[in-house]
Amino acid sequence: MPLKSKLFRDDQALQKCLVSDANHVTPGAQGDHVTKIQAALVTLGAGVIGPDEVERNLYGPTTVRTVLAFKGPPRNILGPGQTTPDNIVGKKTIAALDNEIVAFENRPPPTVISLFVSLTHEGSPHDHNTCPVDTSGHKVDHMATPINPGLGRKVNIGGEGETQYQGFEDFVTDPGVVGGPPRPLTDTIASDTATDIALRSAPITTRGEREIRRIATSNARLTIATNTFTLPKMEQIVKRLGGVVIERISLPDTSVPDGLGYQVLVVVLPIKFFGTPSTPDGVGTPILSQGSQGEAVRKLQRLLNGHVPDLPSLAVDGDFGPATDARVQEYQRRVEITVDGVVGPQTWGMLSGGEQAEEAAAGTPTLQQGSHGPAVRKLQRLLNDHLPDLQLVVDGRFGPVTDGRVREFQQRVDIAVDGIVGPQTWGHLTQ
């Protein structure tokens, strides 16, 4: 019997996986069929998959870990003679995923009341006949769109008219990223004027984050409708924007093409400070970017030299030129925050101690080549302490060089040399 879920049924690679051993999906595979498997695993709560693997449609280490979790207890999806699951998505695994996703797609709607989000296709009371049609020729769907907006400018990023009846205007933040009818760029919106911003299934780029931050007023309301698979990425965007989630809603919706329904976040964005916040050194932490000058830039340059010691030191001259801009972006990349060259609250916070706080909170998870994030930065700093003759770049990415240093350390302390940082390796690093 073929795969039935909306998520899988039209994918020929997955249909072949169901019936042919030669078409099983294994580590290293890439493609849309891998992304659908990842979506199913995350939706069913098997684990979290690294954003780099999601963006590359790659069956990498975090996907392997999530597959093993799904195939383990209580499902115990095992082949003949196996006592523990393998990392192959074969006939039994794809069938189990499909059956559970079908159940997920058909789950009953929740009993939810919201003052902020429409929970019906019809939206708040209005004459639906006056609404525009979407690209498929049907009247626009108001499910998971904002209701009861404020009195200021209202912006729907990637919208197709579904929020016009609430006074929203449709825009895009990047040309060519979102399909549908032509819409103006948010560049045409004045800064600090949007009191309500909506996103529904629209991808958000680094530029898009920057535009949301620019156009939003203090305490603007941001309504995001996404699915379970992309929810973690959207939560990271909310974190980088400094927003506070005031409502979360899960909406089963069989009209959504992938069958995963909506996960809705209603967010209040932070107060904008137009002056310079005070700090103990008297310099402050104003928002800086290329072209800025003065004592705050010198402070920034000194901090960057301390945090990125493997690159040539910046001249501490108070001039935010191309070299400082490049160094800011390199630092932002290493600590996995928005890479835009703008030194705002998040970048200042990381430079001023947030990086160490993240590393302390990261704990000592099992790491290996392909891992990334604060725990890897912690590992790299500890390796530098233990191997002063073999210094690593502390960039939070567990690549071949970090793998080599781990193996060198394991050899020196006479433990298993496998490149995997588990309890034994962490114990020697932290003793």
Side-chain angles (χ1 to χ4, degrees):
M1 186 176 294
L3 300 172
K4 298 178 180 179
S5 66
K6 284 187 175 186
L7 187 61
F8 289 166
R9 67 190 180 193
D10 295 326
D11 193 296
Q12 291 307 305
L14 296 181
Q15 293 288 3
K16 290 177 181 177
C17 174
L18 180 67
V19 297
S20 168
D21 291 347
N23 289 285
H24 289 176
V25 185
T26 56
Q30 284 186 276
D32 289 342
H33 64 302
V34 173
T35 298
K36 291 173 184 176
I37 291 170
Q38 292 170 330
L41 291 165
V42 172
T43 298
L44 297 173
V48 177
I49 293 171
D52 54 331
E53 293 176 31
V54 172
E55 290 171 7
R56 295 165 59 196
N57 299 9
L58 173 66
Y59 192 149
T62 63
T63 306
V64 168
R65 185 170 64 238
T66 309
V67 166
L68 292 173
F70 178 81
K71 295 178 70 169
R75 298 178 183 90
N76 294 316
I77 301 173
L78 304 173
Q82 289 183 331
T83 57
T84 57
D86 58 33
N87 57 17
I88 297 171
V89 178
K91 298 174 186 176
K92 291 182 180 179
T93 307
I94 201 67
L97 284 167
D98 187 60
N99 288 335
E100 292 191 36
I101 286 294
V102 167
F104 179 87
E105 291 170 351
N106 295 324
R107 68 201 192 282
T111 304
V112 178
I113 298 174
S114 175
L115 296 175
F116 303 112
V117 178
S118 169
L119 307 181
T120 67
H121 299 290
E122 294 75 25
S124 294
H126 70 291
D127 184 357
H128 194 51
N129 292 322
T130 63
C131 290
V133 296
D134 59 23
T135 51
S136 64
H138 299 101
K139 288 290 184 183
V140 291
D141 182 1
H142 302 302
M143 176 72 79
T145 58
I147 59 175
N148 299 321
L151 299 177
R153 190 164 195 176
K154 294 169 272 291
V155 174
N156 188 353
I157 296 175
E160 296 186 22
E162 65 270 20
T163 53
Q164 283 182 9
Y165 81 105
Q166 294 281 6
F168 282 75
E169 305 166 82
D170 295 336
F171 288 87
V172 291
T173 59
D174 305 75
V177 173
V178 181
R183 285 149 293 195
L185 287 170
T186 50
D187 295 25
T188 59
I189 302 174
S191 298
D192 312 310
T193 58
T195 57
D196 291 82
I197 302 172
L199 304 169
R200 190 172 69 155
S201 304
I204 296 300
T205 64
T206 298
R207 186 181 190 278
E209 284 186 46
R210 190 162 62 243
E211 278 296 277
I212 291 171
R213 187 179 290 113
R214 182 186 67 79
I215 67 175
T217 62
S218 289
N219 292 146
R221 186 172 120 200
L222 172 65
T223 305
I224 300 173
T226 184
N227 62 34
T228 308
F229 181 46
T230 54
L231 179 62
K233 184 174 182 179
M234 288 299 185
E235 288 176 325
Q236 288 300 310
I237 290 173
V238 169
K239 181 179 177 181
R240 290 195 293 266
L241 291 170
V244 175
V245 178
I246 60 172
E247 187 170 83
R248 292 174 180 268
I249 303 173
S250 178
L251 292 175
D253 185 7
T254 55
S255 71
V256 179
D258 59 17
L260 299 182
Y262 286 112
Q263 297 292 327
V264 184
L265 301 176
V266 181
V267 178
V268 174
L269 295 177
I271 295 173
K272 287 190 169 181
F273 293 96
F274 298 97
T276 301
S278 174
T279 57
D281 59 10
V283 175
T285 54
I287 295 175
L288 303 174
S289 58
Q290 192 165 174
S292 299
Q293 293 182 316
E295 190 58 39
V297 176
R298 282 190 281 273
K299 174 181 178 178
L300 167 67
Q301 291 165 330
R302 286 191 292 268
L303 287 168
L304 287 169
N305 285 339
H307 282 274
V308 192
D310 55 294
L311 295 180
S313 292
L314 288 168
V316 182
D317 57 7
D319 183 9
F320 198 135
T324 300
D325 179 71
R327 191 63 51 83
V328 167
Q329 294 196 41
E330 172 62 17
Y331 175 73
Q332 291 171 328
R333 183 189 68 79
R334 292 186 181 189
V335 297
E336 298 186 344
I337 59 178
T338 303
V339 180
D340 57 8
V342 177
V343 183
Q346 188 179 33
T347 304
W348 277 119
M350 295 299 285
L351 285 165
S352 303
E355 185 176 333
Q356 285 73 25
E358 275 199 341
E359 291 171 19
T364 54
T366 300
L367 303 173
Q368 60 187 338
Q369 191 165 172
S371 301
H372 61 91
V376 177
R377 290 202 308 268
K378 177 196 288 187
L379 166 66
Q380 290 166 329
R381 293 188 202 281
L382 288 168
L383 287 169
N384 284 342
D385 291 342
H386 285 274
L387 304 174
D389 53 319
L390 296 171
Q391 291 294 290
L392 275 170
V393 174
V394 180
D395 61 1
R397 297 180 184 275
F398 198 134
V401 178
T402 300
D403 179 74
R405 294 295 189 276
V406 168
R407 292 172 187 271
E408 174 65 22
F409 175 74
Q410 290 172 329
Q411 185 175 25
R412 292 189 186 186
V413 297
D414 197 25
I415 58 177
V417 180
D418 56 9
I420 297 173
V421 183
Q424 188 179 32
T425 304
W426 277 117
H428 281 274
L429 283 166
T430 56
Q431 66 184 10

